[in-house]
Amino acid sequence: MCGIVGYIGSKYAAPVLVNALKKLEYRGYDSAGIAVLEDEDIVVRKVKGALKNLVEDITDQVIKTNKDMTDAECEQREIQLIEETSKFIKGKMGIGHTRWATHGEPSEVNAHPHLNESGTIAIVHNGIIENYAKLKAWLQGEGIVFKSQTDTEVIAHTINYYYEQFGDIFQAVVASLKKLEGSYAIGVVCSDYPDRVIAARKESPLIVGLGKGENFIASDVPAVLEYTRDVYFLEQKEIAVLYEDHVDLFDEDGNKIIKQPYHVEWDISAAKKNGYAHYMLKEIHEQSKALHDTIHPRLVFNQNKPQDIVFENLNFDEALKNAGRIVITACGTSYHASVVARYAFEKFARVPVVVDTASEFRYRNPILKKDDVFIVISQSGETADTLAALRLAKENGVRVIAITNCVGSTISREADDVIYTWAGPEIAVASTKAYTTQLACLYLLALKCARIRGAITDNEFVHNLEELYSLSPKVETILKDQSSIQKFVSKNFNKTKIFYIGRNFDAATSLECALKLKEVSYMHSEAFAAGELKHGPIALVDESTLVVAIATQKELYEKIASNIEEVKSRGCTTMVITKEDSSCFNNEDGKVIFDEVIKVPSVDDAFAPILSVIPAQLFAYYCAVNRGNNPDQPRNLAKSVTVE
């Protein structure tokens, strides 16, 4: 959530800042702004709403000049006007921000950057200052008048308070950070110090980009990839001072530290749409490759057949062998992957599994045992609740394995072991390929655990590896023809209630299907274990309802067919997502028990969740498009949730 950028160098700062913010739009936001040091003054421009509003405000030009302009033409026009911001704001140092509201409604006055009273210090901030009310009361007692409802404004005034005491902006920042409770990533500029940008972080992510004759700060790597591939990942309470030709790093007490930069390997083209209408659609289509990249390198082959699993540079075999239970915690989509994993671990490894939402985990005084293996899952590696659960587990002496997509993220650095999902950058807020690659890692881990514990025969183990390895081309097969889903969506995108049902693995998959739909289409969707229909939810079923049945578990085909009959008799529309070999869902004798059936390639039941979720992702995407929504940036949502 929120995007921070900063720049100092020989270029005009405004287009660099706005361009970098555009690369962070996927994080979700409701307002945007920049502060640039021009001559001796800090020029601030900020707006409510989309980044294009900021570009229009700066250039005094409208992006969509013709109502018939295509989305691609509008995007090209925006890129052109971003470059033209340098004609209006000419400074070469500044900071920028896209805000996701936590304190105060989305508005121009609450948008970042925020200033001290004299306008000589500007700040951008990601996170939550938990003691802001106390700080605000103290500062008001000192005669400070606040303009916004935000917690961030107290940082600007606190820095100014110490700046007036010390006469040194760096000392003022160091002193101010010691007053702050909560989470923060900040960027600071001061008109009295035109040669530097100061940045610091605690809990919220922040990187430093190292260029040639220019340096950057940003919330995430994509913001700076156009300019550099060398970055510092700031650790807890570290401070960076950026100059045009170098960067100095300090600990929380202001002592200089040395660390090695990280070189980013992945291609910037991976963070572009490459001809797709939206990032979400592109990333749905990238799942075949992402699954191959995540699974293949971890398999050991003999005569072109997978025989074993090897995790790079990891040695948790003993922990898995002796585990009394597996505890998995995560949030949102990653939590849904955890629920699937519970079925997989218990089926293959025969080990008890506890799954919990990270936002609840540490508040229920959980029971943790020394022989637990604790798995945390986070796409960004920065999820605040998941990180808190990780730290609680480590405090209790529990072995922690992290699954994440982001190298260098906080969770990857603090876990005992980390398994990366090689999905590449995921820009759309609603996760697709991150989810399926998380499942791939969890299946690999469950099978590895089963082999180590002797819970599976050699033949069963090899067969399951073959099934897992077969998933990538099968996903590609599903994506070759989307016409049935598009046609069905065109008739049903205005349903008022959508219920997903399933049993066993399918019940777990239903959770993610319902979430994906509500995230991007804003349609009311829920998921139920199919057997629970008669215990309440069926009261909601009528002609305005669409029921989507996930039916991939062969032994439960007849059960789920009966559930479909139950809802169909109440007048609702039905769709079934099932496997090619499921004859149970072929219409016989003219008796129709569903309105649409989508078939995915056959695979062993346990691995079906990776295939059955693909049509549901497409259904959600096309519903969003048909309803006029931007599926890449759904309202009120953020990609990386770094606050509780």
Side-chain angles (χ1 to χ4, degrees), residues 17 73 105 145 217 223 231 249 331 368 375 382 452 473 493 528 552 582 596 622 628:
L17 295 171
E73 289 170 334
E105 65 183 5
V145 177
I217 60 170
V231 301
L249 300 176
C331 297
L368 291 167
I375 301 173
E382 302 291 350
I452 292 168
F493 68 89
F528 308 110
T552 66
S582 58
E596 183 65 54
Y622 286 116

Side-chain angles (χ1 to χ4, degrees), residues 190-490:
C190 176
S191 59
D192 296 334
Y193 290 81
D195 64 338
R196 70 198 68 178
V197 174
I198 300 177
R201 71 153 298 218
K202 177 192 170 195
E203 309 295 351
S204 296
L206 197 64
I207 64 142
V208 175
L210 305 171
K212 295 181 179 179
E214 59 184 1
N215 291 297
F216 311 80
I217 60 170
S219 295
D220 203 356
V221 170
V224 303
L225 269 187
E226 184 176 332
Y227 310 101
T228 181
R229 290 178 175 273
D230 296 315
V231 301
Y232 289 131
F233 293 101
L234 292 187
E235 301 284 355
Q236 285 287 76
K237 298 184 179 181
E238 286 183 351
I239 304 168
V241 182
L242 285 66
Y243 301 89
E244 185 174 321
D245 59 353
H246 72 284
V247 173
D248 291 330
L249 300 176
F250 303 87
D251 64 17
E252 61 182 307
D253 296 316
N255 302 309
K256 188 172 283 191
I257 58 176
I258 303 295
K259 63 194 306 181
Q260 292 298 313
Y262 175 82
H263 185 74
V264 179
E265 297 290 348
W266 48 271
D267 195 333
I268 190 173
S269 64
K272 295 182 178 179
K273 290 181 185 175
N274 293 345
Y276 287 92
H278 298 95
Y279 282 112
M280 183 178 179
L281 184 60
K282 172 177 176 277
E283 289 155 10
I284 289 172
H285 279 265
E286 287 175 341
Q287 287 178 109
S288 176
K289 181 180 184 302
L291 285 165
H292 179 274
D293 292 347
T294 298
I295 296 170
H296 184 272
R298 284 146 176 159
L299 297 180
V300 178
F301 289 84
N302 182 16
Q303 297 182 343
N304 295 322
K305 290 187 177 182
Q307 300 293 313
D308 203 356
I309 300 168
V310 176
F311 289 102
E312 59 280 8
N313 302 317
L314 300 178
N315 186 20
F316 41 55
D317 291 11
E318 200 66 23
L320 291 175
K321 181 179 180 180
N322 297 319
R325 60 177 186 165
I326 306 291
V327 180
I328 313 176
T329 190
C331 297
T333 285
S334 298
Y335 168 74
H336 297 157
S338 305
V339 179
V340 175
R342 178 178 64 198
Y343 287 99
F345 271 98
E346 293 186 347
K347 176 182 176 65
F348 296 133
R350 305 305 297 160
V351 58
V353 180
V354 175
V355 177
D356 214 339
T357 52
S359 58
E360 290 293 311
F361 182 76
R362 63 190 171 121
Y363 296 116
R364 64 174 178 83
N365 193 21
I367 299 170
L368 291 167
K369 303 177 181 178
K370 298 294 184 183
D371 64 350
D372 288 340
V373 169
F374 196 82
I375 301 173
V376 295
I377 310 172
S378 167
Q379 177 269 326
S380 68
E382 302 291 350
T383 310
D385 292 312
T386 307
L387 186 56
L390 179 157
R391 289 170 178 163
L392 179 61
K394 293 201 71 173
E395 287 171 9
N396 282 269
V398 178
R399 181 70 170 258
V400 177
I401 302 172
I403 296 176
T404 182
N405 192 42
C406 293
V407 176
S409 60
T410 304
I411 283 174
S412 72
R413 296 195 302 271
E414 295 194 15
D416 296 303
D417 304 287
V418 58
I419 300 172
Y420 288 109
T421 59
W422 299 118
E426 188 178 66
I427 306 302
V429 169
S431 180
T432 51
K433 63 178 181 174
Y435 172 74
T436 49
T437 53
Q438 285 172 358
L439 287 182
C441 289
L442 288 161
Y443 280 123
L444 286 166
L445 195 56
L447 288 170
K448 181 77 170 177
C449 185
R451 184 71 175 274
I452 292 168
R453 297 170 72 93
I456 193 170
T457 68
D458 289 345
N459 287 339
E460 289 170 335
F461 180 71
V462 170
H463 170 73
N464 283 309
L465 292 189
E466 290 174 343
E467 289 292 286
L468 188 60
Y469 186 58
S470 75
L471 291 173
S472 175
K474 289 177 179 178
V475 168
E476 198 167 338
T477 298
I478 297 171
L479 292 168
K480 283 180 179 177
D481 183 12
Q482 302 167 33
S483 57
S484 296
I485 293 174
Q486 288 176 281
K487 184 177 179 181
F488 187 72
V489 167
S490 69

Side-chain angles (χ1 to χ4, degrees), residues 474-525:
K474 289 177 179 178
V475 168
E476 198 167 338
T477 298
I478 297 171
L479 292 168
K480 283 180 179 177
D481 183 12
Q482 302 167 33
S483 57
S484 296
I485 293 174
Q486 288 176 281
K487 184 177 179 181
F488 187 72
V489 167
S490 69
K491 299 176 182 177
N492 293 282
F493 68 89
N494 279 324
K495 290 289 187 183
T496 59
K497 293 172 289 187
I498 299 88
F499 300 144
Y500 287 86
I501 61 172
R503 289 174 177 264
N504 201 268
F505 278 94
D506 293 335
T509 304
S510 296
L511 296 171
E512 175 59 13
C513 297
L515 176 65
K516 210 54 49 194
L517 183 64
K518 71 180 68 171
E519 282 181 320
V520 298
S521 73
Y522 317 146
M523 301 165 76
H524 181 85
S525 58

